[in-house]
Amino acid sequence: MLPVEQLQEIISASNNIVFFGGAGVSTESGIPDFRSVDGLYNQRYKYPPEVMLSYTFYREHTAEFYDFYREKLLCPTAKPNAAHFKLAELEAAGKLKAVITQNIDGLHQMAGSKTVLELHGSVKRNYCQSCQAFYDDAFILQSTGVPTCECGGVIKPDVVLYEEGLSQETMQRSMEFIAKADVLIVGGTSLVVYPAAGMIDYYRGRQLVLINRGATHSDKKAKLLIQESIGEVLGRISLA
Ligand code: ZN
């Protein structure tokens, strides 16, 4: 049996699937991966990206932070791919309970997913640091310099920057979904970056599916390992 046929069987038999996704899910929509060889981290800037995406840099060089943020983190033309759409369909069909993602692009919601746990936040949400007023990514994109609120406060993206901790509530909910899942599908991540690597340890089932183009640190734990494009693989799954 082909791996995709095995995956089809696993998905068809379960109504309690959780998906955990990494950068690979977004790169197939044309969004650069921070950590890949071709990704942001190897591009040339005045400062390294991990410095520019730190909380200290945001506080001390806010205008430069936003120049970088607008140019490299906001991808207004990116569209969901076959993986995003299939996950939304699986949720609508009552088979998938949650998408847990390390991505900040909002593409799962754009594809129609409802229960999306964004471990690193989202570029779609930006808040005034003084009055907490909400601003979307379009507002940030059309702003120049330091985007400010009507009240005069500085706006900050709801994105987890370096030096910042992840939301405990999001972490907790994610771990609960993983712990209760019948099937855990991990896609588009090599599981080297925490908390991803640690979070799948909360899974207690025996149907771990790993879909990633390269090897991961958890390959041995997988019941099914598919080293192919996540969009191509999930795109071939049928809900019938
Ligand atoms: Zn304000």
Side-chain angles (χ1 to χ4, degrees), residues 2 12 22-23 36 57 60 64 67 71 79 81 93 107 109 127-128 137 147 186 193 221 228 232:
L2 290 169
S12 296
S36 75
F57 194 84
E60 294 176 0
E64 278 174 280
D67 287 344
E71 190 188 337
K79 296 276 187 290
N81 61 55
L107 291 180
Q109 290 92 333
Y127 295 100
C128 170
D137 53 332
V186 177
V193 181
K221 296 179 196 164
E228 290 174 54
E232 281 173 31

Side-chain angles (χ1 to χ4, degrees), residues 63-189:
E64 278 174 280
F65 168 87
Y66 269 109
D67 287 344
F68 182 79
Y69 182 81
R70 286 188 198 93
E71 190 188 337
K72 293 296 171 191
L73 272 78
L74 295 179
C75 302
T77 56
K79 296 276 187 290
N81 61 55
H84 297 103
F85 286 118
K86 190 64 65 175
L87 292 165
E89 284 174 39
L90 288 167
E91 183 185 26
K95 298 182 72 62
L96 182 123
K97 299 302 178 198
V99 167
I100 302 163
T101 182
Q102 296 175 281
N103 300 324
I104 57 173
D105 47 52
L107 291 180
H108 285 291
Q109 290 92 333
M110 206 185 288
S113 285
K114 304 291 182 216
T115 304
V116 183
L117 296 158
E118 295 167 308
L119 295 171
H120 294 162
S122 173
V123 299
K124 302 284 179 185
R125 298 184 299 267
N126 305 271
Y127 295 100
C128 170
Q129 294 293 85
S130 298
C131 75
Q132 306 305 317
F134 169 85
Y135 292 90
D136 65 12
D137 53 332
F139 178 88
I140 302 297
L141 202 59
Q142 69 187 15
S143 66
T144 53
V146 178
T148 51
C149 179
E150 285 178 6
C151 82
V154 175
I155 296 168
K156 182 184 174 293
D158 187 14
V159 166
V160 179
L161 301 176
Y162 286 95
E163 302 163 3
E164 289 188 302
L166 276 64
S167 153
Q168 286 303 311
E169 191 199 334
T170 307
M171 291 274 283
Q172 187 62 39
R173 286 187 68 207
S174 301
M175 287 183 245
E176 284 168 12
F177 274 114
I178 289 172
K180 287 184 203 157
D182 172 19
V183 173
L184 178 63
I185 302 174
V186 177
T189 170

Side-chain angles (χ1 to χ4, degrees), residues 4 7-9 11-12 86 89-90 95 233-240:
V4 176
L7 178 62
Q8 179 71 63
E9 275 199 355
I11 289 176
S12 296
K86 190 64 65 175
E89 284 174 39
L90 288 167
K95 298 182 72 62
V233 172
L234 289 183
R236 279 148 66 190
I237 296 300
S238 117
L239 274 81

